[in-house]
Amino acid sequence: MNPDQTAGTQKTCFHCGETITTPAIRNAEKYFCCNGCRQVYLLLNESNLYSYYDLNPTPGKTNPGQAEKAGFAYLDDPAVIDRLTLHNEGTLATVIFKIPSIHCSSCVYVLEKLYKLDPGIRSSDVDFLRKELSFEYDTSRTQLRKIVTLLASIGYEPQIDLTNSKNTIHQTSRQDLYIKLGIAGFAFGNIMLLSLPEYLAIRDKVDPLLQTLFRVLSLLLALPVLLVSARGYFKGALTGLRQGLINIDFPVSLGILSLFGRSVYEIISGSGSGYLDSFVALVFLLLLGKLFQDKSYATLSFERDYRSYFPVSVIKKTAAGEVNISLSKLKTGDRILIRNGEIIPADAILIRSNTQIDYSFVTGESAPVEKSAGDLLYAGGRQVGGAIEVDVVKPVSQSYLTQLWNKDLYRKHQKSPLLSLTDRISRNFTAGLVLIAIAAAGYWASQDLPRAVNAFTAVLIVACPCALALSAPFTLGTAMRVFGNNHFYLKNMNVVEALDKIDTVIFDKTGTLTYSGKSAVKFRPIAGQMELTRTEKKRIRSLVRHSGHPLSQSLYRWLGEGQLLKVTNYREVPGQGIEGFVADHQLKLGSAGFTGVSQKAGPGSSVWFSQDGICRGYFRLDNEYRPGLGKTLARLSRNYALALLSGDNDRERESLLQYFPAGELHFNQSPFEKLSFIRQRQKSGAKVLMVGDGLNDAGSLKQSNVGVSVSEDKNAFSPACDGILSAGEFSKLPDFLLLAKDAGRIIRLSFLISFLYNGIGIGFAVTGNLSPLISAVLMPVSSISVVAFSTLATRYAGRRRGLPI
Amino acid sequence: MSVIFILIIAGLIIALGFLIAFIWAVKSGQFDDRETPAMRILFDDSIRHHNKNNKSEKS
């Protein structure tokens, strides 16, 4: 077999755009990196979907190909189908899937033309931002399993999550806000027009009948604003009161109600035209602020638990043979089959064949652990090696790791004493406001009773904390946007406020401070042997390419690029190593015993290498720290107490000590120990930011005041957290924290501005003479200037911290 | 002067029509996804909604 690659020309795959390293597969004029890509091309071409390639060059993202037919067998289960189906109408069923690989318009094109690939699909729709595909299919003409297999075969494997498949809540709340905003905006514009005679002080020249009409119309227009648009504020204030606290909604509601009530009174009694224009303007602006603060990342999930990491189905061994069952049906005592690269779904005992389990994502330990028959395997580990058989000893929900979620361990956020700054200020603000209003009314009461009532309501109206309510959403919302543009995604705005108060930063090691799946490799020849030659490296690289073992993959990456050689008689011995013939040389890679030496390589991961029976030496694989780690941590240590909690052993203590001068290094920490460490810190008053990545950090991420998960791919699994930081931006962490501090300062400043306006307004109001014009000018001006200040100041702060928006 | 009564009422009714149209648009989901339709319009053949009309058939 000759590799048909001409030297010098780098070919890229027509489907996925990857550089072709293996012998290219040709089809007419086009080259493909693998058979999977070619299959997709042929299928799309046959179905007249060639535009897929016209819209974007090389739209395929990942290597499709091996869609395992058996892997989706659980989709034949009626209970599973029912779970996934949104609604059923005769033989028509609607299903929504999340498909993470949706990334360009070609994806939209091909996914909305699914009916050409499977006539049983009636229609399909893509929501690009949410990366969702919804489709309607005819259950009598096709099956869900067939559709999913089809999707997977063209490279769009859906992420099937049986736990929360029916979520449409977000959408409706958004619609609700739009409608409220629409009504308020409509009334705002029209009432302003109708109030024009009042503004121009041409009241006397206007026909009295016309004036009455204007006032009545304004009242009619304002009514739906009170009943529909402003409803949320009354509800919020009531819930707050029921919990015994006064939140920002309370003074807002107070202002809204006194504005409306006094306007109605003036219009009905004919004594004036009221402040309906200010009323609707206020509601409109407040709702705009809500729209701004509602921005969230629909495609990201911050609430994932172990169930989105574990497989959806497992292969169960029964007397009748192998059957695919969904994970929820797995019981204690079941014997299941786990193949290479699959995740162990429940605590189980290994029955057949030795293996290695990669727990790096669960415990933070970087090297795979060797297990032999009879050993207990904890759920969450990834099996590396041949297929194994295990007996389940604990149900999925009670396995060691999953307990982290089920236990009532965390009493965070909800009803914690950590009130937002706005709510804390608004409590004092409301008290002060009511006091001033009563004082003003008391002062006038003895001389002029109507004036006293006027003064009382005027204070409540003019001091309505519109600007106060807007400054936090706009500042935090802008900060969140700046973070998002720099690949730091927060769950909601409150996280920015919590970040401002952080004083302790705790890191996980593996995958957080180090690269996951990338190692610093060094070759150490044993006595009497030379360094590796280039041809030897090429041979090793060809051999390790065939193995899915994490160490093999690290070696493969380290050995660089270039052409690969043919490997014959390849064999993988689980827990031992790999061997095979490359260019007539017998190569062995693996443990010391496997390659025929009795020597020890010292602590850490090492891979021994022998060629034609002669041991040449070993590869040392050390964790590689993220670039600029020292500088990042040094910057952080100026303002924060730093600590490290690692599930790994302490062989890197020395090299880590330079980064953590305070010496807060804790190794061999179990997930539970990590959690209790953080809790202890919090008890002594610390506000903790936890930066972690794996499942083993899930507990500590939840317990900490702010839990940030570092992720190489933001759509990949990350445990429940408050924020997801793209791994490439790790060095910007100090800047993010600085900006959060700036945001806190900006909010306090804009509070000051808003108090200034309130002071001026109250100055007018206490006299009892609040003209509608002053109110109509003062309220929007104060709101708009606060909004402008907080938005612009946050943007400026972001730019100053090197975080462009 | 009295023509202004008619004008104002007529103007309000037209504006109300737009408000109702807006609410209908929101309710029918036109604001749920503001990204994909922009891509969809570039595709050549659009027989996408070929089935939306005969939804009433029930077996």
Side-chain angles (χ1 to χ4, degrees):
Chain A
M1 213 204 262
N2 275 334
D4 69 345
Q5 244 185 337
T6 40
T9 50
Q10 279 279 15
K11 287 199 189 71
T12 53
C13 178
F14 183 68
H15 176 72
C16 68
E18 205 149 286
T19 312
I20 300 169
T21 49
T22 46
I25 297 160
R26 278 185 69 161
N27 194 304
E29 294 290 280
K30 296 167 179 75
Y31 294 90
F32 299 95
C33 66
C34 61
N35 216 19
C37 286
R38 181 170 159 266
Q39 287 287 312
V40 180
Y41 166 75
L42 288 177
L43 182 69
L44 295 181
N45 212 10
E46 242 167 55
S47 319
N48 293 321
L49 294 176
Y50 190 80
S51 307
Y52 183 63
Y53 297 101
D54 290 340
L55 289 165
N56 290 286
T58 63
K61 201 178 192 179
T62 43
N63 180 354
Q66 322 83 35
E68 289 171 57
K69 292 252 163 6
F72 299 117
Y74 63 94
L75 288 171
D76 286 336
D77 185 345
V80 171
I81 295 178
D82 185 53
R83 202 64 194 266
L84 292 169
T85 308
L86 274 186
H87 48 82
N88 247 321
E89 200 182 316
T91 58
L92 287 184
T94 308
V95 175
I96 294 185
F97 278 144
K98 191 146 206 140
I99 300 184
S101 52
I102 293 177
H103 68 286
C104 68
S105 51
S106 288
C107 306
V108 179
Y109 173 79
V110 77
L111 289 174
E112 297 200 336
K113 297 271 185 297
L114 277 182
Y115 62 86
K116 286 193 173 179
L117 298 173
D118 185 341
I121 297 172
R122 304 292 303 251
S123 68
S124 47
D125 256 295
V126 173
D127 187 326
F128 185 75
L129 283 184
R130 299 168 73 88
K131 293 183 194 282
E132 274 175 2
L133 169 75
S134 66
F135 59 90
E136 196 180 39
Y137 72 100
D138 192 334
T139 48
S140 63
R141 293 178 65 193
T142 187
Q143 295 85 40
L144 192 59
R145 177 181 172 184
K146 227 176 110 193
I147 298 170
V148 174
T149 314
L150 169 74
L151 283 172
S153 73
I154 57 171
Y156 295 103
E157 185 175 340
Q159 199 176 60
I160 297 173
D161 186 355
L162 292 175
T163 49
N164 54 349
S165 48
K166 299 179 180 178
N167 53 345
T168 43
I169 308 141
H170 179 82
Q171 218 131 336
T172 52
S173 80
R174 205 72 207 247
Q175 284 188 0
D176 216 36
L177 185 58
Y178 285 142
I179 289 177
K180 283 176 177 174
L181 197 62
I183 292 174
F186 163 77
F188 179 39
N190 282 294
I191 293 178
M192 282 284 234
L193 266 180
L194 295 174
S195 312
L196 213 60
E198 316 284 340
Y199 297 155
L200 298 179
I202 48 171
R203 216 187 297 183
D204 313 329
K205 296 178 191 114
V206 178
D207 185 350
L209 192 63
L210 203 58
Q211 201 173 31
T212 321
L213 176 76
F214 282 178
R215 288 176 181 175
V216 171
L217 276 180
S218 300
L219 195 57
L220 285 178
L221 285 168
L223 208 61
V225 177
L226 180 81
L227 296 178
V228 180
S229 303
R231 201 175 43 201
Y233 293 97
F234 304 138
K235 263 193 200 158
L238 272 179
T239 1
L241 281 182
R242 244 178 251 134
Q243 288 170 1
L245 48 96
I246 289 172
N247 51 21
I248 184 71
D249 284 345
F250 185 78
V252 171
S253 308
L254 210 63
I256 290 176
L257 281 177
S258 34
L259 259 174
F260 190 78
R262 175 146 167 198
S263 307
V264 170
Y265 167 76
E266 282 191 7
I267 289 170
I268 288 176
S269 69
S271 57
S273 56
Y275 309 90
L276 287 174
D277 48 344
S278 313
F279 163 71
V280 282
L282 171 68
V283 175
F284 181 68
L285 284 170
L286 284 171
L287 287 173
L288 267 186
K290 216 166 221 177
L291 187 71
F292 200 82
Q293 109 187 53
D294 200 40
K295 161 146 179 86
S296 55
Y297 303 100
T299 50
L300 299 184
S301 174
F302 295 97
E303 304 296 347
R304 276 184 271 217
D305 64 9
Y306 64 92
R307 277 174 295 208
S308 15
Y309 173 64
F310 282 10
V312 183
S313 75
V314 286
I315 305 165
K316 184 179 160 186
K317 282 213 134 189
T318 59
E322 294 174 3
V323 274
N324 237 289
I325 59 164
S326 68
L327 193 63
S328 52
K329 286 192 184 150
L330 191 66
K331 288 189 301 289
T332 309
D334 283 353
R335 176 159 300 184
I336 55 174
L337 188 74
I338 294 169
R339 283 177 299 207
N340 185 9
E342 288 183 340
I343 287 161
I344 299 163
D347 292 358
I349 286 182
L350 184 58
I351 299 298
R352 180 119 32 101
S353 70
N354 297 357
T355 186
Q356 285 192 324
I357 311 287
D358 174 13
Y359 277 118
S360 58
F361 199 64
V362 176
T363 58
E365 231 172 70
S366 44
V369 186
E370 243 166 84
K371 295 280 180 190
S372 49
D375 283 351
L376 179 67
L377 309 179
Y378 287 124
R382 191 179 288 276
Q383 204 261 126
V384 198
I388 55 167
E389 277 175 35
V390 296
D391 269 354
V392 177
V393 292
K394 265 187 189 166
V396 178
S397 60
Q398 277 162 40
S399 292
Y400 173 69
L401 194 74
T402 45
Q403 279 177 9
L404 274 175
W405 274 276
N406 298 328
K407 266 196 184 165
D408 216 7
L409 284 171
Y410 330 97
R411 277 161 239 97
K412 190 191 171 179
H413 296 325
Q414 282 90 8
K415 283 169 220 157
S416 69
L418 198 105
L419 271 175
S420 77
L421 187 61
T422 318
D423 281 341
R424 253 180 305 138
I425 287 190
S426 73
R427 196 179 338 181
N428 299 329
F429 178 84
T430 312
L433 182 66
V434 173
L435 266 175
I436 295 177
I438 290 174
Y443 175 76
W444 293 111
S446 50
Q447 318 165 24
D448 185 354
L449 200 63
R451 198 166 182 181
V453 177
N454 274 355
F456 184 77
T457 48
V459 170
L460 291 186
I461 288 168
V462 85
C464 179
C466 180
L468 198 66
L470 288 173
S471 61
F474 276 87
T475 311
L476 300 177
T478 310
M480 212 172 121
R481 219 161 282 202
V482 175
F483 286 157
N485 284 339
N486 292 283
H487 310 288
F488 181 32
Y489 308 94
L490 297 182
K491 189 160 92 179
N492 54 41
M493 313 186 314
N494 300 342
V495 179
V496 183
E497 232 180 308
L499 273 177
D500 172 26
K501 302 201 179 68
I502 291 301
D503 53 21
T504 308
V505 187
I506 297 178
F507 291 96
D508 169 53
K509 195 191 68 151
T510 317
T512 305
L513 299 186
T514 68
Y515 282 107
S516 46
K518 201 173 167 191
S519 310
V521 184
K522 234 179 231 150
F523 183 72
R524 302 255 168 85
I526 54 170
Q529 292 287 336
M530 293 179 302
E531 273 288 335
L532 293 174
T533 63
R534 269 188 53 198
T535 27
E536 277 172 331
K537 280 187 180 169
K538 199 161 150 189
R539 285 176 206 151
I540 298 171
R541 189 163 168 268
S542 308
L543 184 70
V544 290
R545 194 186 121 85
H546 292 266
S547 160
H549 195 284
L551 292 179
S552 301
Q553 285 172 354
S554 291
L555 275 181
Y556 180 72
R557 267 188 295 265
W558 179 71
L559 287 162
E561 312 232 313
Q563 216 175 307
L564 290 165
L565 302 167
K566 198 170 147 51
V567 177
T568 51
N569 289 345
Y570 173 78
R571 199 164 70 96
E572 187 160 352
V573 186
Q576 294 290 313
I578 54 174
E579 63 177 338
F581 282 88
V582 187
D584 295 327
H585 289 282
Q586 192 205 17
L587 301 188
K588 276 186 167 191
L589 279 166
S591 66
F594 185 70
T595 48
V597 272
S598 51
Q599 212 175 320
K600 277 261 175 226
S605 311
S606 45
V607 176
W608 290 81
F609 167 57
S610 82
Q611 184 169 249
D612 299 324
I614 303 159
C615 182
R616 293 286 318 273
Y618 62 88
F619 294 95
R620 259 305 287 273
L621 288 100
D622 282 317
N623 287 321
E624 192 180 316
Y625 294 108
R626 295 196 184 278
L629 180 67
K631 214 176 133 202
T632 309
L633 291 180
R635 284 183 64 196
L636 282 175
S637 64
R638 261 178 255 156
N639 301 315
Y640 301 95
L642 300 184
L644 177 93
L645 292 176
S646 175
D648 211 348
N649 56 39
D650 65 350
R651 69 187 142 89
E652 284 167 53
R653 181 184 283 276
E654 288 308 312
S655 50
L656 280 165
L657 213 54
Q658 52 170 322
Y659 300 134
F660 292 88
E664 279 274 19
L665 299 169
H666 302 270
F667 294 97
N668 297 316
Q669 296 279 310
S670 78
F672 293 95
E673 283 170 327
K674 284 189 176 188
L675 197 154
S676 58
F677 179 85
I678 291 178
R679 189 175 295 170
Q680 241 162 29
R681 279 300 172 92
Q682 286 173 327
K683 261 184 199 151
S684 54
K687 299 273 183 295
V688 178
L689 165 67
M690 172 78 199
V691 187
D693 73 315
L695 272 182
N696 62 323
D697 300 319
S700 18
L701 288 175
K702 252 177 144 178
Q703 175 65 36
S704 57
N705 299 75
V706 179
V708 171
S709 156
V710 176
S711 174
E712 307 281 345
D713 170 9
K714 67 178 162 37
N715 290 312
F717 175 82
S718 50
C721 55
D722 301 310
I724 297 175
L725 174 63
S726 167
E729 309 293 329
F730 184 78
S731 57
K732 284 190 187 164
L733 192 64
D735 301 311
F736 290 134
L737 290 175
L738 281 173
L739 183 60
K741 284 226 179 298
D742 290 341
R745 242 169 267 144
I746 290 168
I747 291 181
R748 282 186 281 272
L749 260 177
S750 45
F751 280 174
L752 246 146
I753 298 177
S754 120
F755 284 145
L756 210 71
Y757 280 114
N758 275 331
I760 299 172
I762 288 173
F764 283 108
V766 286
T767 61
N769 292 323
L770 181 65
S771 86
L773 186 62
I774 289 179
S775 143
V777 169
L778 199 63
M779 292 180 86
V781 164
S782 72
S783 307
I784 288 166
S785 59
V786 162
V787 165
F789 169 74
S790 49
T791 314
L792 292 178
T794 313
R795 275 165 164 264
Y796 171 73
R799 204 163 311 140
R800 208 166 52 112
R801 301 291 179 206
L803 304 168
I805 191 155
Chain B
M1 193 64 176
S2 59
V3 74
I4 202 166
F5 288 91
I6 301 166
L7 280 176
I8 283 174
I9 302 289
L12 264 180
I13 286 170
I14 291 171
L16 208 68
F18 280 107
L19 178 69
I20 289 166
F22 172 73
I23 292 175
W24 168 80
V26 171
K27 286 240 159 126
S28 69
Q30 292 185 27
F31 287 80
D32 293 347
D33 180 5
R34 288 165 297 166
E35 195 73 19
T36 329
M39 299 177 167
R40 212 172 274 149
I41 200 165
L42 297 172
F43 304 153
D44 285 336
D45 50 330
S46 60
I47 14 174
R48 225 170 46 78
H49 294 291
H50 65 121
N51 56 323
K52 290 255 160 111
N53 311 325
N54 45 7
K55 238 186 176 175
S56 52
E57 56 162 321
K58 270 187 189 174
S59 58

